[in-house]
Amino acid sequence: TDQFCLPREFFAGKRILDLGCGPRGSLEWATEAAWRVGLDPLVDRYRDLGIDEHAMEYCAAPAENIPFADESFDVVSSLNSLDHVDDLPSTLSEITRVLAPGGSFLVEVEFGHRPTDTEPVEIPRDLAESLQPAFRIHLQHRFAVPAGRIHSAYVEAVPYQAGKRFNPGVMIAHLVKQ
């Protein structure tokens, strides 16, 4: 919650969806939330790793086709997962659909890197701006990626310097659905 400048109390009573959650119980910390769901297409593979013991629900589905009703969540988080999807526009459309008005989209993503087999999407540097007017930018930071350590970017806080096309950086943003 620190990188988004949000206290843990912000999540109290909220319905939270974590896209690309992985097998580590990404929302177990949010004990005051009303509902905690991790979405990942690999959930069935994670069962052997003990995810059923976590204090959250898991849903096996791609981010391009989220199997929840419109406005089901107050918070959608995507921590280093948007560049792993197959279709970014469809994913962003689904996030917008399942997020309630006034809800928060919390995103941490590497942008400006060359697509790979596991990260096939090239995230634009201006991703947050491109989501306006559906979203209002509440907070946004861009940092340089220190030696490929994406999650260290916030801690080390090296300012991002725009340059050539493939110039990796990390964007951390808190967007609020209008």
Side-chain angles (χ1 to χ4, degrees):
T1 63
D2 289 345
Q3 69 264 39
F4 300 105
C5 300
L6 295 171
R8 285 183 58 152
E9 297 79 36
F10 173 82
F11 300 92
K14 296 208 167 100
R15 303 162 297 166
I16 307 171
L17 176 66
D18 183 26
L19 299 180
C21 62
R24 295 187 172 187
S26 63
L27 294 174
E28 283 200 297
W29 61 269
T31 56
E32 300 299 318
W35 189 27
R36 299 175 280 177
V37 179
L39 182 98
D40 197 303
L42 302 176
V43 162
D44 293 334
R45 293 184 189 176
Y46 299 157
R47 299 242 180 256
D48 292 339
L49 300 174
I51 65 168
D52 293 323
E53 296 176 21
H54 295 156
M56 59 182 276
E57 293 179 36
Y58 284 89
C59 178
E64 295 89 349
N65 190 17
I66 301 173
F68 293 99
D70 295 358
E71 303 177 2
S72 292
F73 296 95
D74 304 302
V75 177
V76 174
S77 64
S78 173
L79 306 178
N80 192 30
S81 63
L82 278 185
D83 54 349
H84 292 265
V85 303
D86 291 324
D87 183 341
L88 183 60
S90 292
T91 297
L92 295 171
S93 177
E94 281 291 276
I95 291 167
T96 304
R97 182 186 66 78
V98 300
L99 191 59
S104 294
F105 177 31
L106 306 176
V107 60
E108 176 185 278
V109 67
E110 185 180 9
F111 62 87
H113 66 75
R114 294 181 190 275
T116 66
D117 288 342
T118 58
E119 296 175 332
V121 174
E122 183 181 339
I123 302 294
R125 181 182 178 278
D126 65 346
L127 175 69
E129 291 84 359
S130 74
L131 296 175
Q132 296 173 320
F135 287 89
R136 174 180 53 82
I137 300 172
H138 181 72
L139 172 135
Q140 179 178 215
H141 298 290
R142 290 187 189 94
F143 301 109
V145 179
R149 296 183 323 272
I150 295 167
H151 296 298
S152 297
Y154 168 74
V155 175
E156 296 184 26
V158 176
Y160 176 77
Q161 300 294 321
K164 58 187 183 241
R165 179 172 176 209
F166 293 113
N167 180 23
V170 171
M171 179 191 73
I172 295 170
H174 175 181
L175 309 171
V176 177
K177 184 177 174 184
Q178 301 288 26

